C-alpha cells in the first residue's frame, strides 16, 4: 500500500514511505494529497511523531499496518490512528480485526 509521511514532528523523515509496490521510497509530501486516508503515528507515551497519507485502510487493513511496522523499532511508534482525508471524519485506532 502506498503511504507517505507528510508532517514530521520527530525530525528527518518528511517524505519517507513506500511506493505502491511496497518498496521503501522518499517522495515530495505533496504526493500524499492523492491518497484517500490520513494517518497519525504515536510513540508509547502518546506523543504524536508523524502524520501522513496512505491507501484505503478500510479496504486493506493488513497493509494499513505498514507505516507502524516501518517506524516501530527506529522511532518507537506504537499506535496508529487513521481517517478518511476529510476534516469532518473521526480518527479511529487501527485494530487487527475491524469491527471486532
Amino acid at each position: 500500500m502506498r503511504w507517505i509521511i507528510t508532517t514530521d514532528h520527530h525530525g528527518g523523515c518528511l517524505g519517507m514511505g513506500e511506493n505502491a509496490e511496497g518498496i521503501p521510497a522518499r517522495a515530495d509530501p505533496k504526493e500524499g494529497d492523492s491518497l484517500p486516508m490520513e494517518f497519525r503515528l504515536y510513540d508509547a507515551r502518546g506523543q504524536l511523531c508523524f502524520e501522513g497519507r496512505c491507501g484505503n485502510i478500510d479496504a486493506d487493513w493488513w497493509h494499513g499496518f505498514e507505516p507502524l511496522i516501518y517506524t516501530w523499532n527506529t522511532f518507537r511508534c506504537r499506535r496508529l490512528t487513521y481517517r478518511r482525508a476529510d476534516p469532518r471524519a473521526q480518527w479511529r485506532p487501527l485494530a487487527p480485526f475491524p469491527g471486532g
Side-chain angles (χ1 to χ4, degrees), residues 3-90:
W3 63 273
I4 186 169
I5 290 177
T6 57
T7 305
D8 182 351
H9 301 281
H10 188 278
C13 295
L14 192 63
M16 181 178 74
E18 291 184 355
N19 65 19
E21 289 79 38
I23 299 169
R26 283 198 177 257
D28 184 330
K30 292 189 183 294
E31 288 183 31
D33 293 346
S34 66
L35 299 170
M37 308 293 267
E38 297 177 319
F39 67 85
R40 290 180 173 171
L41 293 163
Y42 302 86
D43 67 14
R45 295 174 306 212
Q47 291 185 310
L48 180 60
C49 297
F50 306 107
E51 298 177 65
R53 298 285 289 265
C54 64
N56 188 350
I57 290 176
D58 289 330
D60 187 8
W61 66 267
W62 179 256
H63 289 104
F65 280 99
E66 289 174 358
L68 184 60
I69 292 167
Y70 193 88
T71 58
W72 186 271
N73 286 328
T74 307
F75 303 103
R76 305 282 192 240
C77 291
R78 297 296 184 257
R79 186 167 57 96
L80 184 146
T81 59
Y82 72 100
R83 70 178 182 182
R84 288 247 163 241
D86 176 350
R88 298 169 294 177
Q90 298 246 338

